[in-house]
Amino acid sequence: MFNGIKKDIEYIIENDPASMKKIEVFLLYPSVHARIVHRWSHALYKRKRFFTARLLSQISRFFTGIEIHPGAKMGDSILIDHGMGVVIGETAEVGNRVTIYHGATLGGTGKDTGKRHPTVGDDVFIGAGAKVLGPVNIGSNTKIGANAVVLDDVPDNVTVVGIPGRIVRKNNVNNHIENHPFLRSL
């Protein structure tokens, strides 16, 4: 558990220009607090102590504004920047080195049973207010733009924006430029 906290703090310092010292991040960042409580509640959830796990989760939500269901599987080195309003559902799986901004949701559509929430790869950026819904797969090295609504699988190495989410960059090339009729003729 301590190694996981250390990785989260190091990732935050590396990726958040506002962070200064490890002790500051540990004491003042709701992302760290929510992740510590999630580790405890997830352990209880795996031992089928569902009520206690959910109680811890709700207490964490009250203090941090970040709701991570105890059943969610979270990787290492995660930054939930600003945090307020982030929701991560029960069957969500989040990879390593993921940045999630405030207001983002990794949720269900209400239509699925079993695996109902997204699976997020490694090195993913999820912008403020983005909604990733249903049992979709988000590829590694992907960026989801602010307020995007993603309802379908997303491959590796792309940028997705809009409602509904559409790919605008692939392998660091602007998709709308490469598909423009005038520029294709050049």
Side-chain angles (χ1 to χ4, degrees):
M1 179 168 151
F2 294 109
N3 190 38
I5 296 167
K6 180 181 174 196
K7 286 181 180 181
D8 283 353
I9 290 171
E10 289 170 353
Y11 184 74
I12 290 168
I13 289 173
E14 181 182 322
N15 290 283
D16 184 357
S19 65
M20 299 181 98
K21 298 179 182 175
K22 289 181 181 181
I23 191 69
E24 173 189 351
V25 172
F26 178 75
L27 293 174
L28 302 177
Y29 275 61
S31 175
V32 174
H33 306 149
R35 294 268 295 140
I36 289 170
V37 175
H38 177 262
R39 285 179 175 95
W40 293 337
S41 66
H42 186 68
L44 289 167
Y45 187 86
K46 290 192 316 189
R47 290 177 180 81
K48 300 189 187 302
R49 307 280 185 187
F50 301 123
F51 178 80
T52 308
R54 285 299 304 260
L55 179 63
L56 276 176
S57 171
Q58 292 303 305
I59 292 168
S60 175
R61 176 181 170 221
F62 178 79
F63 284 106
T64 66
I66 300 168
E67 182 175 345
I68 307 173
H69 191 284
K73 296 176 183 169
M74 306 287 285
D76 289 325
S77 303
I78 294 176
L79 164 59
I80 303 173
D81 202 6
H82 300 286
M84 189 58 70
V86 168
V87 177
I88 301 174
E90 179 180 18
T91 61
E93 299 176 38
V94 178
N96 301 312
R97 297 170 309 282
V98 174
T99 300
I100 303 171
Y101 276 89
H102 58 282
T105 300
L106 303 179
T109 62
K111 300 176 183 177
D112 301 296
T113 58
K115 175 76 168 128
R116 306 180 308 280
H117 302 97
T119 299
V120 177
D122 296 334
D123 301 298
V124 173
F125 171 93
I126 301 173
K131 308 300 178 214
V132 183
L133 305 174
V136 298
N137 292 305
I138 305 301
S140 294
N141 302 307
T142 294
K143 295 177 183 174
I144 309 285
N147 293 314
V149 177
V150 179
L151 302 171
D152 297 308
D153 288 351
V154 175
D156 294 346
N157 305 307
V158 299
T159 300
V160 175
V161 300
I163 303 170
R166 66 188 185 290
I167 296 171
V168 295
R169 289 177 71 100
K170 187 169 186 175
N171 297 324
N172 213 17
V173 175
N174 287 341
N175 194 36
H176 66 279
I177 291 174
E178 70 184 30
N179 290 326
H180 193 281
F182 174 74
L183 295 176
R184 272 194 310 218
S185 65
L186 295 178

